[in-house]
Amino acid sequence: MIKISKKSQYGLRAMVLLAKKYKSKQICSTKLISDKEGIPFDFFEKIITKIEKASLVKGKKGVLGGYVLSRSPNKINVKDIVSALEDNKKAVDCSLCGRSKQCLTKGVWGKIDDSFNKTLKSITLQDLIK
């Protein structure tokens, strides 16, 4: 079973909240997002930093600071978010196996990865806030 980390689950929830605020251009603080989504604040700060480094959000510093999406919700897909947050992006990393050249099952893992990534890429934040 492919497992999505809490980091990606929380990151997606935060991005959905920001997508809901996109049209009004409302800046959301890390505190507001972590409170509304029930995400531990310290953990969320690490998540939003990675999301910002991936250019999915823009940050504004200061007392009235916070985050907004860097582009329209229909231009950000779930794969963008998961890719920004996950270290291991494959169900099975065949390069770590000494038998990868002779392995008769690695095609299965490749198909699973392709299908999984295609699904994540097909879902935008706009789809999630409809």
Side-chain angles (χ1 to χ4, degrees), residues 47-114:
I47 292 169
I48 200 69
T49 298
K50 285 187 170 199
I51 292 172
E52 185 177 22
K53 282 183 183 175
S55 299
L56 300 175
V57 297
K58 293 179 192 172
K60 181 181 176 191
K61 300 205 183 288
V63 176
L64 300 175
Y67 293 90
V68 294
L69 294 183
S70 63
R71 54 189 183 269
S72 171
N74 66 345
K75 302 283 186 198
I76 300 173
N77 61 53
V78 175
K79 185 178 185 327
D80 295 330
I81 299 160
V82 172
S83 292
L85 296 170
E86 293 297 329
D87 297 326
N88 184 9
K89 295 173 177 59
K90 294 185 173 201
V92 174
D93 189 353
C94 291
S95 68
L96 299 176
C97 177
R99 299 182 41 101
S100 67
K101 289 186 180 177
Q102 321 78 294
C103 183
L104 299 176
T105 64
K106 76 176 181 180
V108 171
W109 307 121
K111 286 181 182 180
I112 289 169
D113 280 334
D114 290 345

Side-chain angles (χ1 to χ4, degrees), residues 6-20 33-40 44 51 81 125 128:
K6 281 283 187 201
K7 195 175 5 178
S8 288
Q9 292 174 47
Y10 289 159
L12 181 57
R13 286 182 11 211
M15 292 294 283
V16 167
L17 183 123
L18 291 174
K20 288 179 182 177
I33 297 168
S34 69
D35 286 350
K36 278 196 171 238
E37 293 302 321
I39 304 169
F44 181 64
I51 292 172
I81 299 160
L125 288 175
L128 298 174

